[in-house]
Amino acid sequence: MDELVFEEFGFASYYSAPPAALVARHFDITDGLVLDSGFSFSHAVPILNSGAQQQYSRRLDLGGKVLTNQLKEVVSFRSWNMMDEFLVINAAKEELCYVAQDFLAELEDTRLPLSEGNKTMIDYVLPTHASDKENRFGYSRPSGTSKKMLKKGASFIFD
């Protein structure tokens, strides 16, 4: 790696650090745990005195691909068969999934009807695979903004 950076690209100097150390430095974390989730695996790296403790870090072979495959199964079971649509489900996951700041409060919010302020329910409109290049993976919109649904109570709808 060093040889490539200096000889091929001609850098005068560079700084090499694990991603967890850079995260800790950016957010000014002195002690804590950095969870780095990727597509195929995740890392847990403890931070002690502003430094990543690599000898105690752990790799878990669980990443975003597992969640995408789980979503494909759930959506295929509940509404449309999406088992062959990895890119569409991955785009929906990347646009809609997040980590709740207050899990219990948001869980209660999901039980509210739209008329009482449910802010967590969002429709994801599936692509029609026509000549529309902009929406080839679909898009999200606030729930209840469309009158036409092909399936009553569908999680995913066509526009």
Side-chain angles (χ1 to χ4, degrees), residues 80 124-128 141 146 148-150 156-159:
W80 305 102
Y124 193 82
V125 181
L126 293 174
T128 57
R141 66 172 175 217
S146 175
K148 95 181 161 175
M149 290 180 118
L150 293 178
F156 285 69
I157 60 176
F158 288 100
D159 209 12

Side-chain angles (χ1 to χ4, degrees), residues 6 28 44 65 68 73-74 82 113 115 122 126 129 132 147:
F6 289 118
D28 213 16
K65 183 168 62 171
T68 302
E73 289 183 22
V74 169
M82 301 297 288
S115 60
I122 297 174
L126 293 174
H129 295 297
D132 188 10
K147 301 286 188 246

Side-chain angles (χ1 to χ4, degrees), residues 2-13:
D2 295 340
E3 181 180 342
L4 179 72
V5 168
F6 289 118
E7 293 181 10
E8 186 71 27
F9 296 114
F11 282 41
S13 65

Side-chain angles (χ1 to χ4, degrees), residues 44-151:
V45 181
I47 305 296
L48 185 63
N49 297 328
S50 301
Q53 304 298 309
Q54 291 295 333
Q55 67 271 26
Y56 302 114
S57 67
R58 296 292 178 254
R59 174 182 162 163
L60 180 63
D61 292 329
L62 179 71
K65 183 168 62 171
V66 172
L67 179 58
T68 302
N69 289 335
Q70 179 68 26
L71 285 173
K72 282 191 324 185
E73 289 183 22
V74 169
V75 170
S76 295
F77 180 72
R78 291 186 173 187
S79 53
W80 305 102
N81 183 6
M82 301 297 288
M83 293 307 288
D84 295 332
E85 300 292 342
F86 181 84
L87 293 176
V88 172
I89 296 297
N90 196 53
K93 176 194 75 173
E94 289 177 357
E95 186 172 342
L96 300 174
C97 292
Y98 64 97
V99 177
Q101 296 298 318
D102 186 357
F103 177 74
L104 295 176
E106 292 198 30
L107 186 62
E108 288 300 318
D109 188 35
T110 61
R111 295 185 176 120
L112 293 173
L114 282 174
S115 60
E116 293 181 23
N118 184 335
K119 296 179 187 86
T120 58
M121 189 178 300
I122 297 174
D123 290 337
Y124 193 82
V125 181
L126 293 174
T128 57
H129 295 297
S131 62
D132 188 10
K133 300 272 188 212
E134 288 182 26
N135 295 319
R136 64 183 182 166
F137 298 122
Y139 60 93
S140 64
R141 66 172 175 217
S143 192
T145 58
S146 175
K147 301 286 188 246
K148 95 181 161 175
M149 290 180 118
L150 293 178
K151 248 183 160 177

